[in-house]
Amino acid sequence: MKLGGLAGLVGGASGLLIGELAFGLFGGIGGRIIGWGVFGLAAGLGAGWVGRSVARLRNGGIGGCLGGAVGGALYQIVTALLPQTAGRGLALALLGAAIGLGIGLVSEILKRGWLMVVRSQSRNAREGKEYPLVKAKTTIGRAEESDVGLFGDQSVANRHAVVERQKSKFFLARGEGRVLVNQQPVNQPVQLKNGDRVEVGGTLLLFRERAG
């Protein structure tokens, strides 16, 4: 979490500096779009770098840039229509929301495979929650560093299972715990297919895959 905050801070600070330079060079709404687009790009890359995934880096960069560009246009419009103090406050809030929405939207559009919670005894894995499988290896377990964290369920091991991505295919392998796919125990890596039901302790996950 500290690493994520530091990366976001460095990316945001460098993007802000470049963005202000771009605004000074171009001026007007075009300058704001370019400047804040650069800011969003840097902030998104900083946040995506923490995930140590090419997909997250890509999603953060594209989404941050698009969101920053939209936010820059809104910033210029709002600050022109409202008094300076109130206008800048509202404009900055809209800018942050646009960058976050842009990153989330791009991540949703470009995701290839994911696990969706059907039911769970874990305190944090609510029904319907989705875990994108964007890393080369996605860990499932009770440990704090797990990518799919199933906390509070004592039937889940710290490193219960792992999903490995190999190009466009996903393979599930058991770790320290018992895993079922479509009610069949997993003893060796098995390729997941769209609609497979994965049971990890007291949690039932549905594997979904978008056609390439």
Side-chain angles (χ1 to χ4, degrees):
M1 187 172 293
K2 291 181 180 179
L3 184 61
L6 179 61
L9 179 62
V10 172
S14 59
L16 181 61
L17 176 60
I18 298 173
E20 285 300 312
L21 290 174
F23 176 68
L25 181 62
F26 296 100
I29 191 169
R32 284 296 183 198
I33 291 174
I34 295 172
W36 289 116
V38 173
F39 169 77
L41 171 65
L45 289 175
W49 176 80
V50 180
R52 300 186 182 279
S53 163
V54 174
R56 285 180 177 172
L57 197 65
R58 175 202 63 199
N59 296 345
I62 296 174
C65 183
L66 293 176
V70 173
L74 293 175
Y75 183 98
Q76 188 69 9
I77 294 170
V78 171
T79 52
L81 294 177
L82 298 178
Q84 185 175 7
T85 303
R88 283 181 64 87
L90 177 59
L92 287 172
L94 289 173
L95 174 66
I99 292 175
L101 181 61
I103 294 174
L105 184 61
V106 169
S107 299
E108 179 66 24
I109 292 173
L110 297 183
K111 71 182 180 182
R112 182 72 174 79
W114 63 97
L115 292 171
M116 184 183 73
V117 178
V118 178
R119 65 170 186 272
S120 180
Q121 295 179 7
S122 172
R123 63 174 181 266
N124 64 296
R126 65 185 183 278
E127 181 181 342
K129 184 175 182 178
E130 295 181 354
Y131 295 92
L133 303 172
V134 297
K135 298 174 65 175
K137 290 185 178 181
T138 300
T139 57
I140 305 172
R142 194 156 44 92
E144 290 293 330
E145 64 272 15
S146 297
D147 299 304
V148 181
L150 303 176
F151 312 128
D153 185 350
Q154 298 302 314
S155 63
V156 176
N158 285 333
R159 186 182 172 85
H160 201 106
V162 61
V163 178
E164 184 173 354
R165 179 172 183 172
Q166 298 179 10
K167 295 184 178 179
S168 61
K169 298 179 180 179
F170 298 86
F171 295 86
L172 175 70
R174 60 172 296 178
E176 301 170 350
R178 185 168 181 263
V179 184
L180 301 178
V181 173
N182 299 327
Q183 300 183 334
Q184 299 299 315
V186 173
N187 297 313
Q188 58 184 6
V190 59
Q191 182 181 347
L192 293 174
K193 297 180 180 179
N194 190 41
D196 280 350
R197 299 168 72 85
V198 179
E199 295 180 60
V200 178
T203 297
L204 175 61
L205 302 162
L206 182 67
F207 173 71
R208 301 308 303 265
E209 183 178 21
R210 180 171 286 127

